[in-house]
Amino acid sequence: MSINNGKRLEKIVKEFETVAAKQNWKIETNQKKYLEDGVQLAEFDIIISYSENDRLIRWLIECRDRPSQGRSPGAWIEQLVGRKHLNKFNKVTAVSTTGFSPAAIHYAEQSDIELRTVEELLSPELWSSEAKLTTYSRTGSFLRIQLVLPSGTSNELKKLLKENLPQNSGNLPLYFDSHSDPVNSIDIFQNICLNEKTGIYDGLKAGESKDVSIYYQYSEKKQQNAMLIFDNKSIPLTLHLQPNSTNRSRDIHLKLNEKYIKLKAVLFSGKARIDKFDDKFSSIHAMKKRGKGLISQKIVTDSECKNFNGITLYETVQKDNSRILMIKSNNGTSISLETKEIRNKA
């Protein structure tokens, strides 16, 4: 089946190779070669360069999507053989959406040209023909913040707080003396709520939610500076505002009208929830190698989850026939997405 666009085919193939790429691989597209007088001599679809056993390997991948001309001809493979030797590529792969003619297969076998096809499918290769992807999303919804003032706070500061606190308390900037930049309330709540180590979501079923609170108060006497409260449990924890930091957050301040107001404690409240979605497939593209079969496929879903619409899955078949599945979202939300099962429709 045609991809209907040569550049789109190149993009899909590059995505496949990027997912499968090892750490030292360099992937370039549409590289042009010029003569000394500036005249373009050639353009290469995809070039992959990497080091192997102290030797530089250059791999050329050329793509062809011409459905009106039928199977890719032997003449195209002959051209790629010439490109391989003239430009000193160690490996050349031909990728077609229409397959290869007998002559093309013959020339490729004689000249060590790898042949691959990219096909558009109705269902993922080697999955159930009526498969669905069931996903579970974990969300931490911040609801409110309560501020506890130290004893002796002046009436002037109390009035300032009452008159100037923003309606959306999730964007309320808090300052900790261990961290120079302000931190929003919603970020503190969600980062703790979505941390799998806390166990907040343990026992929570799809469609259910539970109340979660985080009470922060610095104490010189205690190692922990916060308390996580859910399911009638109180779990001491240490709040770090910087990754890999060993400095505990200490005094906390609020800044209003250029004035810093010291707080005694803060209570963050919200809900943790799990939702389940059966996602339909909107497009599936499979790459196959002649003589081997499926080597990778790209599956795009139409998710019912509004915050995670358009999940893309890349499945790569390894040399030992094991599979690696990478999940990618098309936007940067703070939902923890986990693939739980692939099953038939009911």
Side-chain angles (χ1 to χ4, degrees):
M1 186 177 293
S2 171
I3 305 300
N4 297 320
N5 187 304
K7 292 298 180 184
R8 185 182 172 210
L9 174 60
E10 292 174 21
K11 181 176 180 294
I12 291 173
V13 173
K14 182 187 177 184
E15 287 181 42
F16 281 139
E17 297 306 328
T18 300
V19 170
K22 297 181 180 178
Q23 189 172 5
N24 66 338
W25 285 20
K26 179 181 179 182
I27 302 177
E28 301 172 289
T29 57
N30 306 123
Q31 293 295 300
K32 297 178 176 61
K33 183 177 181 179
Y34 296 92
L35 297 174
E36 292 183 358
D37 58 4
V39 176
Q40 181 176 323
L41 180 63
E43 180 176 353
F44 306 107
D45 290 345
I46 301 171
I47 297 177
I48 301 176
S49 306
Y50 58 94
S51 180
E52 186 176 82
N53 298 325
D54 296 326
R55 177 188 174 202
L56 177 64
I57 304 298
R58 297 175 70 242
W59 175 15
L60 172 65
I61 302 177
E62 289 289 325
C63 304
R64 182 184 174 98
D65 180 37
R66 301 180 186 178
S68 62
Q69 299 181 18
R71 295 182 179 182
S72 296
W76 183 43
I77 304 302
E78 285 188 279
Q79 179 187 3
L80 296 184
V81 172
R83 283 193 163 198
K84 179 180 181 180
H85 295 299
L86 182 63
N87 299 282
K88 296 181 172 56
F89 287 108
N90 305 92
K91 179 180 178 180
V92 173
T93 298
V95 182
S96 172
T97 58
T98 58
F100 298 91
S101 69
I105 295 172
H106 172 76
Y107 288 131
E109 291 175 347
Q110 294 296 313
S111 306
D112 196 24
I113 303 293
E114 183 184 60
L115 300 182
R116 296 184 181 182
T117 57
V118 170
E119 305 173 13
E120 194 166 6
L121 306 177
L122 296 177
S123 61
E125 185 81 7
L126 301 181
W127 290 16
S128 168
S129 61
E130 294 185 330
K132 270 190 173 184
L133 178 69
T134 299
T135 56
Y136 292 76
S137 70
R138 297 175 177 179
T139 56
S141 301
F142 174 81
L143 297 179
R144 67 184 68 87
I145 184 173
Q146 293 174 265
L147 308 177
V148 181
L149 299 174
S151 59
T153 301
S154 67
N155 290 331
E156 178 186 357
L157 286 180
K158 291 179 181 178
K159 182 180 179 182
L160 179 67
L161 277 172
K162 185 176 180 180
E163 294 177 350
N164 294 277
L165 280 176
Q167 291 184 348
N168 183 1
S169 58
N171 295 325
L172 187 67
L174 301 174
Y175 289 80
F176 295 79
D177 62 0
S178 63
H179 191 65
S180 58
D181 298 321
V183 183
N184 287 341
S185 306
I186 190 172
D187 294 331
I188 296 175
F189 179 82
Q190 288 187 337
N191 286 341
I192 294 177
C193 193
L194 295 175
N195 187 331
E196 293 184 1
K197 294 180 180 179
T198 62
I200 290 175
Y201 295 91
D202 294 351
L204 194 61
K205 298 179 181 180
E208 296 180 348
S209 61
K210 67 173 62 173
D211 294 326
V212 178
S213 297
I214 301 159
Y215 183 79
Y216 174 87
Q217 182 178 21
Y218 176 71
S219 171
E220 287 282 0
K221 298 179 181 180
K222 297 181 180 180
Q223 177 67 29
Q224 290 82 15
N225 57 15
M227 190 71 70
L228 177 63
I229 305 166
F230 65 92
D231 290 343
N232 297 318
K233 296 185 294 186
S234 297
I235 303 174
L237 56 85
T238 302
L239 178 62
H240 298 297
L241 295 180
Q242 293 176 308
N244 303 319
S245 172
T246 57
N247 295 325
R248 290 183 296 154
S249 299
R250 297 169 62 93
D251 291 338
I252 182 172
H253 296 80
L254 179 66
K255 185 178 180 182
L256 286 176
N257 294 352
E258 301 304 316
K259 288 187 177 182
Y260 285 93
I261 303 172
K262 186 176 180 179
L263 304 174
K264 180 181 179 181
V266 179
L267 178 65
F268 308 90
S269 300
K271 287 186 177 293
R273 181 178 175 85
I274 292 182
D275 288 294
K276 175 183 174 181
F277 302 95
D278 284 331
D279 302 330
K280 299 178 181 178
F281 302 128
S282 61
S283 68
I284 304 164
H285 293 97
M287 177 182 281
K288 300 178 182 180
K289 178 180 176 181
R290 177 173 169 77
K292 179 180 179 180
L294 179 73
I295 54 176
S296 55
Q297 58 185 336
K298 172 187 175 183
I299 305 162
V300 180
T301 68
D302 284 331
S303 178
E304 297 174 7
C305 178
K306 295 180 181 179
N307 293 323
F308 245 113
N309 188 32
I311 299 167
T312 303
L313 299 96
Y314 296 93
E315 186 178 32
T316 305
V317 180
Q318 306 301 295
K319 289 183 178 180
D320 61 357
N321 289 324
S322 63
R323 297 186 175 205
I324 294 178
L325 187 66
M326 187 186 88
I327 302 174
K328 178 182 177 183
S329 68
N330 291 338
N331 56 16
T333 65
S334 57
I335 293 178
S336 176
L337 181 69
E338 185 178 354
T339 304
K340 290 291 188 183
E341 58 182 293
I342 297 170
R343 62 171 176 76
N344 291 335
K345 291 180 181 177

